[in-house]
Amino acid sequence: MTIKVFGHKSPDTDSTGSPLIWAWYLSEVRGQPAEAKLLGEPNTEAAFVLQKWGVEKPEIISDVSADDKVVIVDTNNPAELPASINDADIIQIIDHHKLAGGLETRAPIDITIKPLACTATIMHNLMGPNESRMTDQIKGLMLSCILSDTLEFRSPTTTDQDKALAETLAKELGIDLSAYASEMFEAKSDVSAFSDAELLRMDSKEYAVGDTKFRVSVLETTAPKIVLDRKASLMETMGTVAQEDGVDQVLLFVVDILNEEATLLVPNELVKTVAEKSFDAQVDGDTVVLPGVMSRKKQIIPSLKV
């Protein structure tokens, strides 16, 4: 049986590249037939990375069944996975997020969750000496995942291990690391083709603070003005997205990669309270700038208060 390898429902570069990396490893190194899958359309940066390295976009699936063997990467949260995930035969989880709980398995499984910036870095560790068998395509995907998740080492989630591996991969591939990162971020910043609802869901995760449920959306960009020029329509659409997704509020953080800060859109009193309690911010208007805030995982989610 072919193993399905996939990440979360909002495929960024890590959740697009890491399934491809691990499906290659399972198939080519361990002799276990595996295929990468996606749970949605990859974002613009991930699509650029696939094209850059000549990799075909994996099939997009909407659900899994009891007949499927699956490996979950870059998440362990059932809310970010197919509705029938607990019916499938989960055989492995590789992740770098906090343990969410709620997944059920048929038997003891192989779980690796490490405090590294990128799932692909963990995969490199798991490969051991077999990392020498990686093709340039796989190396390119791995490098891309690390640069994306670390924002070229600007993110506070970055570890020495992530950075050292990225530098080694760039050298082996003969790539100027900073120039390539700039290409990736430029692709990520091109959001002109997306509707407001698509932008709010593009890189988002559901998270509850007490009885209040949020969709926490992050848009990382080198051109924040493009997004902020749409703030009125984005804030108007937040209510529709929240209602459709069964959450109380959408929080949108526009991360300025170059200036290393985030702008939070403030459409109502609830978000104003969240900003002031969570980030000790003074809110005057419909946006608030949060200096140094770059990471949802390390700086945003752990700070949220209502």
Side-chain angles (χ1 to χ4, degrees):
M1 177 184 293
T2 300
I3 300 165
K4 294 180 178 178
V5 186
F6 50 78
H8 51 73
K9 290 180 182 178
S10 302
D12 54 10
T13 299
D14 197 20
S15 249
T16 300
S18 286
L20 286 160
I21 294 167
W22 204 245
W24 168 84
Y25 174 73
L26 291 175
S27 298
E28 300 301 322
V29 177
R30 293 177 57 175
Q32 299 174 284
E35 291 182 354
K37 305 293 181 183
L38 295 178
L39 302 185
E41 282 291 339
N43 68 15
T44 52
E45 181 187 76
F48 163 79
V49 166
L50 293 177
Q51 183 178 34
K52 170 75 175 181
W53 296 102
V55 180
E56 185 176 348
K57 182 178 75 173
E59 177 191 10
I60 297 174
I61 61 173
S62 59
D63 208 351
V64 291
S65 72
D67 295 327
D68 290 322
K69 282 186 178 292
V70 306
V71 173
I72 299 168
V73 304
D74 196 32
T75 185
N76 67 85
N77 186 348
E80 300 173 355
L81 292 165
S84 303
I85 188 62
N86 282 333
D87 294 335
D89 185 7
I90 304 170
I91 62 173
Q92 187 175 25
I93 299 171
I94 307 172
D95 192 18
H96 64 135
H97 297 92
K98 72 173 187 175
L99 191 62
L103 290 176
E104 298 179 10
T105 63
R106 298 180 187 177
I109 70 168
D110 187 349
I111 300 178
T112 305
I113 300 177
K114 294 284 189 181
L116 297 175
C118 182
T119 307
T121 308
I122 301 172
M123 292 178 172
H124 184 269
N125 291 348
L126 293 174
M127 288 180 189
N130 288 309
E131 61 86 20
S132 63
R133 297 174 61 177
M134 289 193 298
T135 63
D136 282 356
Q137 272 190 334
I138 297 300
K139 290 178 181 179
L141 291 172
M142 188 172 284
L143 171 62
S144 304
C145 292
I146 298 170
L147 289 177
S148 179
D149 267 15
T150 65
L151 298 177
E152 195 191 353
F153 318 132
R154 295 176 176 88
S155 172
T157 62
T158 307
T159 69
D160 290 342
Q161 191 173 148
D162 295 295
K163 185 175 182 180
L165 176 56
E167 290 173 343
T168 297
L169 291 169
K171 184 176 181 180
E172 290 176 356
L173 291 166
I175 282 182
D176 182 306
L177 190 150
S178 291
Y180 178 51
S182 294
E183 286 185 88
M184 289 176 54
F185 299 154
E186 183 177 346
K188 180 185 290 189
S189 301
D190 182 10
V191 296
S192 57
F194 295 94
S195 69
D196 293 334
E198 288 171 331
L199 285 182
L200 292 172
R201 293 186 175 106
M202 183 178 292
D203 186 0
S204 65
K205 296 183 183 295
E206 294 181 19
Y207 183 74
V209 181
D211 294 329
T212 305
K213 295 180 181 178
F214 294 105
R215 176 169 292 285
V216 185
S217 302
V218 173
L219 289 178
E220 299 161 344
T221 178
T222 57
K225 186 177 185 299
I226 294 175
V227 179
L228 295 175
D229 281 348
R230 295 170 59 174
K231 68 178 179 180
S233 60
L234 284 165
M235 288 192 291
E236 185 176 346
T237 307
M238 284 178 178
T240 302
V241 169
Q243 185 176 23
E244 291 176 352
D245 295 359
V247 299
D248 297 295
Q249 180 64 52
V250 176
L251 301 177
L252 176 60
F253 296 82
V254 182
V255 173
D256 184 334
I257 297 171
L258 300 181
N259 289 319
E260 301 188 17
E261 63 186 21
T263 299
L264 171 63
L265 272 59
V266 185
N268 53 41
E269 285 297 316
L270 172 58
V271 181
K272 179 179 179 182
T273 299
V274 169
E276 292 178 342
K277 286 187 176 182
S278 305
F279 304 102
D280 195 25
Q282 294 294 319
V283 179
D284 182 18
D286 55 11
T287 62
V288 59
V289 177
L290 307 172
V293 173
M294 303 281 285
S295 169
R296 174 175 44 212
K297 181 172 60 178
K298 194 165 185 176
Q299 294 172 303
I300 296 175
I301 293 290
S303 301
L304 290 181
K305 301 180 181 68
V306 295

